[in-house]
Amino acid sequence: MVDAVAVPVRSGPPVSAVPGRAVSAPVAVGLAVVAGVALLVAFPPYDLWWAAPVGVAALAVAVHRRRWWAGAGVGFLAGVVFFAPLLSWTNLHTGSLPWVLLSGLQASYLAVLGAVAAFVSPVVDRRRLVVWPVVTGVLWVGQEALRGRTPFGGFPWGRLAFSQGDSPALAWAAVGGAPLVTFVVAVAGGVVAAAVWRRWRVGRSALVAAGGVLVAAGVLLVGAAVPLGGGTAGSVTVAIVQGNVPRMGLDFNAQRRAVLDNHVQGTVRLARQVRAGQVPAPDLVVWPENASDVDPTRDAQAAASIDEAAAAVGVPILVGALAYGPGAGEVRNVSLVWEPGSGGDVEQVYVKRHPVPFAEYVPFRRLARMVTDQVDLVRADFVAGSQPGVLRVGPVAVSGIICFEVAYDGLVRDTVTGGAQVLAVQTNNATFNAAEAGQQLAMVRLRAVEHGRAGLMASTVGVSAFVDDNGRVSQPTEFNTAAVVVSELELGSTRTLATRTGFWPEMVLVVAAGAVVVAAAWLRRRSGGVDAEAR
C-alpha cells in the first residue's frame, strides 16, 4: 500500500506562463493585418482618428498568450502593414531601398512591442478587464519612447498621438504631451481588447463587448473636458509665403535660384496687396525651409534678392536657408532673421539641431555605400546646432523648428521654455507628397495644444497653414502651388502643465512599462510553466 503524500496547493488565481488559449495562428495573422490597416487609416490623409484604438485592440488580442517570438512575428507583420504605406512618400524620388529599410526598421519596434505584450500576458490575466488597458497603454508609450530615440536619435513618425488631430483625446496633450495622448488612445484600445476577449474567448454576453467599446469611447471623450488655451499677450499678424518649386524631386537644389526668386516675387506681390488694402499688413513674414539654398550670408546676389523682398514688405523675414561652414565641406540648415536693409548682416540664426540621418548626413558613410551608392547624393554632411531655436522676429519671439524636428518632444519644448510665443515650423516637402505634408501638419496641431501656443507651418510647396492653440487649422494651402496666406495669431504667455512637466509623464509611464515586464518575469518564474484557463 502506498502512503498518501500531501501536495501543497498554491493559493490565488492560476497564472499563464505559456500560450494557453491564444487565438489561432490564422486569426492572429488576420488581426495583425487589421491592426496595421486600422493604424494606417487613423493618420492623414485618411484622418479616421477613431481607428487608432481599433488597431491597438486588434494587435493586443492577436499577441495575447502567445510565446514571445510568435508575438514578435505578429507585431512585425502589423508594423509592415502600417509603416510601409504610411512612409511610402520616402519612395517617390530615391528608389525603393530607403523606403524598405526605413519601413522594416520601424516595423521592428512593433515586433518588440508584440513580443513584450505576449510576455506580460500573465500580468494581464490576473485582472484582465482592469489591468489589460493600463498595460497596453504603458507598453505603447515605452515602444514609442524607444523608437523616438534609436537609432541615430530615432524617428518618431507614426506615434498614436499624431493621429488624434480631430479627436477629443488631443486635449490631453496640454496635460502630458504626446506620450499622454498615446497612453490614452492605447488604454482605449486595451479596453476594447479586454471586452472582445471576454466575449470571444470566454463566451460572455455580447453586452460585455459593447460595454467595452462604450468605455473606450468614454476614455477618449473625457479629453473634451480638459481646458485648452492659456493666457495671451496680444497678437501678431503673420504672412506665410509658399513660393513653390519649378519641379518636384531631389533636383530642387539644382533650381535654387528659381526657388529663391519664387519666394522673393511672392513677397513682393504680398507687399503690393498690402498697399492696395487687399490683405492686412503683416508684422513678419515666414519663408519655408530651403527657400534660399544659396547661402545669402556669402552670396551677394542672394542677399540682394532677399533685401528686395524685405524692403518691399517693410518687415523682417524668417528665411529658411543653407549656410556653409563653419568648417571646410560643412553645411548647416538654418533659420535667419532678415531685417529690411540688412544686406546679409544677419544677427539671429538658428541652426537645425537634429539633422536627418541618411538625408542630411550619412552615418558610417563607407559602410552605407556598400549598401547603395545613393548615399553620395548627400554630398556634404550637415552640422547640428546646439542652441534651442528662439528668434526675435519683429515684435514676437518665434520658435525655430525646422522640418522633422516638430516630431521630437524636447526640441519643441525647449523653444517654449526659452520664451517662444508662436510656434513656427519651416519645412520643405518638395521631395515628398501631400500625405507627408498632412502628417507633419498633424504634429504641429498637437504641439500647439501641448504648449498653448498658436503655430504655423510654412512649406515650399505645401501644405502651409496656421494653427490656433486649440489645434484648429486655418487657411491651409494646396499642394504644389504658389500661395501667400496672412493671419492674426494670439501670442501665448503662459505654460501648460505639459510644458512645465516636460519628459516626466513619459518617464513615469516608461518606468511603469518596465515594472510590468519585471512582474511578468516573476509570475512566470513562480508559476513554473502552469497554464491558466481564461477567466
Side-chain angles (χ1 to χ4, degrees):
M1 181 176 179
V2 180
D3 293 336
V5 178
V7 178
V9 178
R10 184 187 299 115
S11 62
V15 179
S16 174
V18 292
R21 295 179 60 193
V23 298
S24 67
V27 171
V29 169
L31 286 173
V33 173
V34 169
V37 171
L39 291 171
L40 172 67
V41 299
F43 288 83
Y46 311 102
D47 289 311
L48 302 178
W49 60 264
W50 49 266
V54 175
V56 170
L59 181 58
V61 171
V63 302
H64 186 58
R65 290 188 154 214
R66 312 203 86 79
R67 297 191 184 276
W68 68 265
W69 49 265
V74 171
F76 185 77
L77 175 59
V80 169
V81 174
F82 172 36
F83 282 111
L86 184 77
L87 302 177
S88 60
W89 42 266
T90 62
N91 187 33
L92 296 177
H93 305 288
T94 60
S96 60
L97 184 60
W99 167 59
V100 170
L101 293 177
L102 182 59
S103 299
L105 175 63
Q106 298 306 298
S108 69
Y109 288 90
L110 285 194
V112 173
L113 174 65
V116 175
F119 181 80
V120 303
S121 295
V123 176
V124 169
D125 283 336
R126 302 293 287 183
R127 294 289 182 271
R128 193 174 298 118
L129 287 177
V130 176
V131 176
W132 204 346
V134 177
V135 168
T136 302
V138 297
L139 292 185
W140 269 91
V141 173
Q143 174 266 138
E144 291 186 353
L146 181 65
R147 188 162 61 84
R149 291 169 172 82
T150 59
F152 311 116
F155 186 68
W157 216 268
R159 296 167 76 179
L160 293 180
F162 295 150
S163 69
Q164 299 298 295
D166 295 317
S167 164
L170 182 67
W172 287 110
V175 179
L180 184 58
V181 177
T182 286
F183 176 74
V184 169
V185 174
V187 165
V191 170
V192 174
V196 169
W197 184 277
R198 195 171 181 84
R199 170 68 183 96
W200 186 7
R201 304 300 291 169
V202 185
R204 301 294 173 87
S205 169
L207 291 176
V208 174
V213 173
L214 291 177
V215 171
V219 169
L220 298 176
L221 292 173
V222 75
V226 177
L228 295 181
T232 59
S235 63
V236 64
T237 301
V238 183
I240 300 173
V241 176
Q242 177 180 302
N244 208 11
V245 299
R247 296 182 306 280
M248 300 286 286
L250 290 176
D251 65 342
F252 72 89
N253 274 322
Q255 315 162 52
R256 58 188 65 186
R257 292 285 180 184
V259 174
L260 173 58
D261 185 62
N262 285 352
H263 288 88
V264 169
Q265 295 307 313
T267 307
V268 170
R269 285 194 296 272
L270 167 66
R272 288 199 295 265
Q273 291 176 319
V274 170
R275 289 193 295 270
Q278 297 173 343
V279 296
D283 297 303
L284 67 145
V285 175
V286 180
W287 287 5
E289 177 190 25
N290 300 129
S292 179
D293 271 359
V294 182
D295 185 350
T297 65
R298 299 192 180 192
D299 187 284
Q301 182 180 348
S305 295
I306 300 174
D307 260 345
E308 175 191 354
V313 76
V315 297
I317 303 175
L318 185 63
V319 178
L322 293 186
Y324 298 106
E330 294 179 334
V331 66
R332 294 162 293 159
N333 194 343
V334 299
S335 297
L336 310 174
V337 180
W338 200 281
E339 300 283 350
S342 66
D345 184 14
V346 177
E347 296 182 357
Q348 295 186 76
V349 180
Y350 167 65
V351 181
K352 187 177 183 180
R353 297 168 66 192
H354 189 50
V356 179
F358 302 102
E360 293 178 313
Y361 75 99
V362 181
F364 312 113
R365 185 180 287 267
R366 287 185 179 180
L367 182 61
R369 193 180 290 120
M370 296 173 63
V371 178
T372 173
D373 59 4
Q374 288 188 354
V375 298
D376 290 327
L377 291 172
V378 183
R379 296 182 179 88
D381 288 337
F382 281 64
V383 178
S386 59
Q387 299 299 316
V390 183
L391 303 167
R392 193 77 193 182
V393 189
V396 60
V398 174
S399 67
I401 305 169
I402 299 177
C403 201
F404 288 2
E405 289 186 320
V406 70
Y408 296 87
D409 299 345
L411 296 181
V412 179
R413 178 177 178 268
D414 284 350
T415 69
V416 179
T417 58
Q421 299 167 289
V422 169
L423 303 179
V425 179
Q426 296 168 285
T427 186
N428 175 20
N429 307 109
T431 57
F432 306 128
N433 61 15
E436 183 273 343
Q439 292 162 17
Q440 200 169 13
L441 182 59
M443 300 178 197
V444 181
R445 298 179 68 181
L446 181 135
R447 300 306 181 194
V449 174
E450 180 180 15
H451 298 294
R453 297 290 187 272
L456 62 90
M457 188 166 91
S459 171
T460 47
V461 299
V463 175
S464 302
F466 298 100
V467 179
D468 68 15
D469 58 7
N470 290 307
R472 291 186 293 258
V473 177
S474 63
Q475 301 189 62
T477 62
E478 295 295 325
F479 193 75
N480 197 19
T481 60
V484 176
V485 287
V486 182
S487 182
E488 183 179 6
L489 302 179
E490 292 184 341
L491 303 180
S493 63
T494 59
R495 296 183 181 181
T496 64
L497 183 60
T499 305
R500 294 195 298 269
T501 56
F503 70 90
W504 284 107
E506 180 183 51
M507 179 64 68
V508 169
L509 294 170
V510 169
V511 169
V516 170
V517 174
V518 171
W522 179 76
L523 286 172
R524 284 173 173 272
R525 181 182 180 123
R526 194 188 73 166
S527 70
V530 177
D531 284 344
E533 292 301 315
R535 294 182 300 283

